[in-house]
Amino acid sequence: MSTLKKLRSFFLLLTMIGGMTMYAQTAPAKITDGEIEKFALSLKKVQAKNQAAQQEMLKVIEDEGLDAQRYMKLRQAEANPDMKVEATKEELAKEKEITAKIQEMQPAIEKDLKAEIEKTGMTVERYQQIAAALQTNKELQQKVQDVLMAKQTK
């Protein structure tokens, strides 16, 4: 996986922290075609907001004087005590400062994501239920993909 893809995955994970990732524990009720349409529209909007948030986070990293790849290594090492990474005190301080700034951004990002989902007429809870079902339901995956593809060709 390329560094950029890893970074995007990491930022996506960061932006989905908190209430946005707390999938409902129960299987969702039947998912209607209308809900699939709303979900697909919400997904597109959430992805666009995530991309913008990733760019903001990347700017924070670069403004602090680290490159994204180095920041990722430092974050991984902090999360995994068995992973050894040589770092200066200055780098460690920058990593902590960057992480704090990114965490400060989280509430606004989550609020934006919630608003984008709700603009489509879908609740965040239902969005999460469908997103959870999407992880294992191939038929649902195909339906969402079909809707997304149809929207691209319009």
Side-chain angles (χ1 to χ4, degrees), residues 8 11-12 15 44-58 113:
R8 284 186 177 155
F11 286 141
L12 179 61
T15 60
K44 275 182 81 168
K45 291 180 177 202
V46 165
Q47 287 173 334
K49 287 286 184 182
N50 276 333
Q51 190 171 17
Q54 290 169 13
Q55 292 302 313
E56 288 179 46
M57 291 178 204
L58 187 56
L113 293 174

Side-chain angles (χ1 to χ4, degrees), residues 28 31-47 122 126-153:
I31 300 168
T32 66
D33 289 344
E35 287 179 313
I36 292 171
E37 289 277 337
K38 289 177 183 178
F39 178 83
L41 180 58
S42 293
L43 183 62
K44 275 182 81 168
K45 291 180 177 202
V46 165
Q47 287 173 334
M122 178 169 277
R126 188 61 174 155
Y127 178 90
Q128 292 168 339
Q129 289 173 343
I130 295 170
L134 196 61
Q135 301 300 313
T136 58
N137 185 326
K138 299 280 187 215
E139 181 182 345
L140 180 59
Q141 290 171 9
Q142 187 60 53
K143 286 180 180 180
V144 170
Q145 187 65 33
D146 290 346
V147 170
L148 290 170
M149 294 301 288
K151 290 190 180 303
Q152 281 184 337
T153 57

Side-chain angles (χ1 to χ4, degrees), residues 43-92:
L43 183 62
K44 275 182 81 168
K45 291 180 177 202
V46 165
Q47 287 173 334
K49 287 286 184 182
N50 276 333
Q51 190 171 17
Q54 290 169 13
Q55 292 302 313
E56 288 179 46
M57 291 178 204
L58 187 56
K59 184 173 177 356
V60 168
I61 293 168
E62 291 170 350
D63 287 351
E64 287 294 323
L66 287 180
D67 67 41
Q69 187 172 11
R70 184 64 179 158
Y71 175 73
M72 288 296 298
K73 282 212 182 296
L74 294 171
R75 287 292 306 144
Q76 289 170 348
E78 184 177 47
N80 180 0
D82 296 332
M83 184 177 171
K84 301 295 181 210
V85 173
E86 288 189 31
T88 65
K89 287 182 181 180
E90 182 182 348
E91 284 180 314
L92 295 173

Side-chain angles (χ1 to χ4, degrees), residues 92-103:
L92 295 173
K94 286 180 180 182
E95 181 270 330
K96 288 192 184 317
E97 181 67 24
I98 291 166
T99 300
K101 287 180 179 182
I102 289 173
Q103 288 174 342

